[in-house]
Amino acid sequence: MLKRVVYLMAVLWIMAVGTVFAEESKEESQAGWQLIDIGPAEDIEYSFNTNTIKYDRNKDGTVNKNIIIYEEKKTNMVTLSSEYKFYTITECKINVNLQSILFGDEKFYTREGKYRWTNKPTYMAWITVKPETIGGDRFVAVVSYAMEHDAELGARS
């Protein structure tokens, strides 16, 4: 009987340790994503990856601080939707002088983080953003972060 109790306690302990490690790895996958405040009553949550944001480079190899390269995460937050917590990660560029965004490949993931597919844009075009819009809020958040962390972005480029 004592062996069964010890065995049961060991199994419960292993399960608890496994749960802790799973939570830690989930937190690590969320690390680096900074939420963008786009105002109340939005069904989509936007964030950008602070671990990979950087400046672009010119053809001659110099750093171009006018172009910011970053990954943007878009998460469906409609709780009654079958797509709840599904998300996409899009490769983006911002042109500070033109006040515009360029969207690249968009990768789709399940709520658990499992890769689903990639949408490649048919054509690439800079989209001008307007103040006080969702695009404008995203633009301001990324550019503000870049200005505050200029040296870090320059070192990554």
Side-chain angles (χ1 to χ4, degrees), residues 11-23:
V11 168
L12 291 174
W13 183 80
I14 290 171
M15 289 173 55
V17 169
T19 303
V20 168
F21 284 125
E23 286 298 318

Side-chain angles (χ1 to χ4, degrees), residues 2 17 24 26-27 40-41 46 49 55 64 84 87-88 96 100 114 120 122 125 130 141-144 148 153:
L2 181 62
V17 169
E24 284 179 10
K26 184 178 179 182
E27 288 174 10
Y46 293 92
N49 193 338
Y55 293 121
N64 182 353
Y84 175 66
Y87 63 92
T88 65
V96 178
S100 56
K114 184 178 176 185
K120 295 188 178 287
T122 307
K130 295 180 181 164
V142 172
V143 172
S144 297
E148 292 171 12
L153 271 66

Side-chain angles (χ1 to χ4, degrees), residues 139-153:
F139 178 87
V140 168
V142 172
V143 172
S144 297
Y145 181 87
M147 289 172 59
E148 292 171 12
H149 299 87
D150 182 61
E152 187 180 329
L153 271 66

Side-chain angles (χ1 to χ4, degrees), residues 36-56:
I36 300 171
D37 181 16
I38 57 171
E42 291 299 332
D43 296 335
I44 295 178
E45 202 173 72
Y46 293 92
S47 53
F48 63 94
N49 193 338
T50 60
N51 293 333
T52 59
I53 186 172
K54 62 183 181 178
Y55 293 121
D56 201 1

